[in-house]
Amino acid sequence: MELFFLGTGSGVPSKERNVSSLVLRMLEERGTTWVFDCGEGTQHQILNTTIRPRRIEVIFITHLHGDHIYGLPGLLSSRSFQGGESPVTVYGPRGLKEYIDISLRLSGTHLRYPLYVEEVEEGLLFEDEQFIVEAVSLKHGLESYGYILKEKDKLGELQPEKLKALGIKPGPIYQKIKNQSQTRLSDGRVIQRDEVIGPPKKGRKIAILGDTRYISALKEPIYGADVLVHEGTFASDETQMAYDYYHSTVKQAATLAKDAEVKELILTHISSRYQGESIRQLEEEAREVFENTKIAHDFFQYQIKRN
């Protein structure tokens, strides 16, 4: 499981940073990728990576400001020409379906795959055998959301030494025992899976927040996350400006990370006023509050490891 940052700037593109887009690659887990926001130029950024649009399964839009959605119609259209045939679901605030429908209709775009648009509210978005995904409301002047992904725990490893101690020789029966809650052997014995496997592998938790003012109450839904992706639009001495423009400072993001006891904070959505040495200063400001902080740059990759 890997986070791949395609755009880490705010408002408008700059020479150093494109506007917002983030990909979560889960090639081993489910053979697909999930996209979070799709600012202008996202598909151009993809051309510089090994990301394959045909693998996109879900797109999450945090809010409808242009620097988060202007690249969406183009990406959806290009996916048709790049061999994408599997369904795509797009989640986002009210108005997203109208924006997509109008963009595709007026441009004469006909997709070769099923497209579903789900306009969200705070709470559970979906759950499958692998993940639970929830939306949390943010404060950004217009409707804005963060998305919390919870990977379900996996079965522990089969313990061959326990099976051998029971006189069960290695073979296909081992996989059968792992796949079933209980297995009846040819000699009539019943093997309970729970007695021959190790502890479960704890699932990972990821919190990816959209543009927002500082909200201390977010520490509850994101608590203990393996990684928190949070905007850091302004330096710590710009608290009033951050508030006025419905954004956060790097220190505020770090405070939330500390209070929520997350394992890692990655800052993104950096204002173009900060470049070069000033980026390092932003990172140091955040680390004074929460040491495990990184500021993402375009094409930054982060592996989310299991505990």
Side-chain angles (χ1 to χ4, degrees), residues 45-83:
Q45 298 290 85
I46 288 175
L47 292 175
N48 296 306
T49 73
T50 58
I51 295 168
R52 296 291 176 260
R54 66 176 179 270
R55 291 187 180 271
I56 294 173
E57 177 187 20
V58 184
I59 300 173
F60 298 91
I61 300 299
T62 61
H63 64 290
L64 300 185
H65 277 153
D67 58 323
H68 294 256
I69 64 168
Y70 283 164
L72 184 56
L75 179 62
L76 294 174
S77 176
S78 294
R79 187 176 185 270
S80 279
F81 295 104
Q82 296 168 342

Side-chain angles (χ1 to χ4, degrees), residues 104-247:
L104 298 183
R105 177 170 56 83
L106 294 183
S107 62
T109 301
H110 301 282
L111 304 181
R112 300 176 184 177
Y113 56 88
L115 177 67
Y116 306 100
V117 182
E118 300 286 344
E119 296 186 344
V120 309
E121 296 179 349
E122 188 170 44
L124 178 68
L125 290 189
F126 71 84
E127 179 177 0
D128 61 19
E129 67 280 0
Q130 287 182 299
F131 286 93
I132 298 172
V133 180
E134 300 173 345
V136 291
S137 293
L138 306 176
K139 294 180 181 179
H140 189 52
L142 81 172
E143 199 172 359
S144 183
Y145 291 97
Y147 296 102
I148 301 172
L149 289 59
K150 301 175 183 177
E151 183 186 31
K152 294 183 177 180
D153 293 349
K154 289 189 174 183
L155 276 176
E157 295 294 337
L158 197 66
Q159 307 291 299
E161 66 279 3
K162 292 184 179 180
L163 294 175
K164 291 175 183 177
L166 294 170
I168 304 172
K169 296 180 179 180
I173 188 63
Y174 277 29
Q175 191 61 44
K176 186 176 180 180
I177 290 171
K178 183 171 184 179
N179 291 342
Q180 302 176 155
S181 60
Q182 63 179 30
T183 303
R184 183 176 294 276
L185 303 180
S186 58
D187 60 9
R189 287 183 296 161
V190 175
I191 303 300
Q192 302 294 332
R193 179 175 61 191
D194 290 346
E195 297 176 357
V196 294
I197 62 171
K201 299 177 181 178
K202 185 172 176 58
R204 290 159 286 189
K205 182 176 179 179
I206 306 161
I208 298 174
L209 306 186
D211 292 6
T212 184
R213 282 175 175 165
Y214 170 65
I215 306 174
S216 61
L218 285 174
K219 68 183 180 183
E220 295 179 9
I222 70 171
Y223 189 85
D226 291 272
V227 59
L228 166 64
V229 179
H230 197 292
E231 69 139 283
T233 309
F234 292 104
S236 301
D237 60 357
E238 298 283 8
T239 302
Q240 187 60 48
M241 182 176 291
Y243 183 86
D244 291 343
Y245 286 92
Y246 290 89
H247 284 295

Side-chain angles (χ1 to χ4, degrees), residues 225-290:
D226 291 272
V227 59
L228 166 64
V229 179
H230 197 292
E231 69 139 283
T233 309
F234 292 104
S236 301
D237 60 357
E238 298 283 8
T239 302
Q240 187 60 48
M241 182 176 291
Y243 183 86
D244 291 343
Y245 286 92
Y246 290 89
H247 284 295
S248 299
T249 68
V250 294
K251 184 175 181 179
Q252 289 172 331
T255 299
L256 179 62
K258 180 181 179 180
D259 292 345
E261 297 187 22
V262 305
K263 295 179 177 62
E264 192 82 30
L265 169 64
I266 303 180
L267 296 170
T268 186
H269 201 268
I270 309 300
S271 171
S272 59
R273 68 175 64 192
Y274 307 111
Q275 298 188 31
E277 180 60 31
S278 61
I279 295 293
R280 288 186 285 275
Q281 292 174 357
L282 290 180
E283 195 168 65
E284 287 305 314
E285 288 178 16
R287 285 180 173 172
E288 287 177 3
V289 176
F290 185 75

